[in-house]
Amino acid sequence: MKTIEVDDDLYRYIASHTQHIGESASDILRRMLKVAASRDAAAPATVAPAVAVAATEQKPVSPVKDRVRAMRELLLSDDYAEQRKAVNRFMLVLSTLYSLDASAFAAATDSLHGRTRVYFAGDEQTLLHSGNQTKPKHVPGTPYWVITNTNTERKRSMIEHIMQAMQFPAELTEKVCGTI
């Protein structure tokens, strides 16, 4: 048996994909990676002893609760807390929202634009042509670019619109917007 160390966020991600009580980390990863068990494997590898514990304590959770939990985890994460600029927190929230439901994110951003500016696009040039000094940035982990030369209140407004369209609870939406 081999033991590997993983970051906390990866641990939570693996544990969140548990399908039944007692499922090992190896079983979860094999399923996710679509890797068949080797015949000569003496014992399954463990990601961390706590994964098995988390799997036994975890109750089935609806997709909506998973999304809410993921957003709350983002707000509590060290990575988010370390961000000193609103634009960096804005980008982390956008990346997370996209990762939770790409199609709902796409639908929400399609209807999101200003009087003359396009806020989201699939390429930098579209945003550059929609206004002066838009300062487009690529949203990590997505095919999207977003304008960042807006005030913090506009960034909050964009997040609020997307989260409402994705049907997040109002109190969570307010909390996320308040952290930007």
Side-chain angles (χ1 to χ4, degrees):
M1 172 164 60
K2 303 282 185 204
T3 301
I4 61 172
E5 291 184 30
V6 296
D7 296 329
D8 290 340
D9 60 328
L10 288 174
Y11 161 80
R12 285 190 300 268
Y13 181 79
I14 293 167
S16 74
H17 283 79
T18 303
Q19 289 186 342
H20 61 274
I21 294 174
E23 186 175 29
S24 73
S26 290
D27 292 339
I28 296 166
L29 289 170
R30 284 185 191 286
R31 184 180 66 253
M32 291 171 65
L33 298 172
K34 297 178 174 78
V35 174
S38 75
R39 291 182 212 173
D40 58 332
T46 60
V47 171
V51 170
V53 172
T56 60
E57 294 172 357
Q58 198 170 27
K59 297 174 187 169
V61 180
S62 73
V64 172
K65 287 184 181 177
D66 282 342
R67 294 181 333 147
V68 168
R69 185 178 67 205
M71 288 307 296
R72 288 188 175 138
E73 286 177 357
L74 171 68
L75 296 179
L76 296 172
S77 73
D78 291 339
D79 191 27
Y80 194 76
E82 291 169 358
Q83 302 305 318
R84 297 290 169 233
K85 294 182 178 183
V87 68
N88 294 339
R89 290 188 298 274
F90 175 65
M91 298 300 280
L92 276 173
V93 170
L94 290 174
S95 292
T96 302
L97 289 170
Y98 178 85
S99 72
L100 295 174
D101 190 341
S103 61
F105 183 89
T109 57
D110 282 346
S111 63
L112 188 57
H113 52 80
R115 191 171 39 87
T116 59
R117 280 184 166 182
V118 175
Y119 293 159
F120 290 88
D123 61 272
E124 183 179 21
Q125 292 306 315
T126 302
L127 298 177
L128 288 171
H129 292 301
S130 77
N132 293 332
Q133 308 218 341
T134 55
K135 294 189 180 176
K137 284 192 177 186
H138 181 253
V139 180
T142 78
Y144 289 93
W145 286 74
V146 63
I147 64 169
T148 60
N149 190 20
T150 57
N151 61 33
T152 301
E153 195 53 42
R154 174 63 65 201
K155 288 178 181 70
R156 288 178 181 144
S157 174
M158 286 190 262
I159 294 296
E160 180 180 25
H161 174 86
I162 294 167
M163 290 184 74
Q164 285 175 345
M166 292 177 73
Q167 300 180 342
F168 279 91
E171 66 276 359
L172 179 60
T173 301
E174 185 178 326
K175 182 175 270 188
V176 170
C177 291
T179 65
I180 294 179

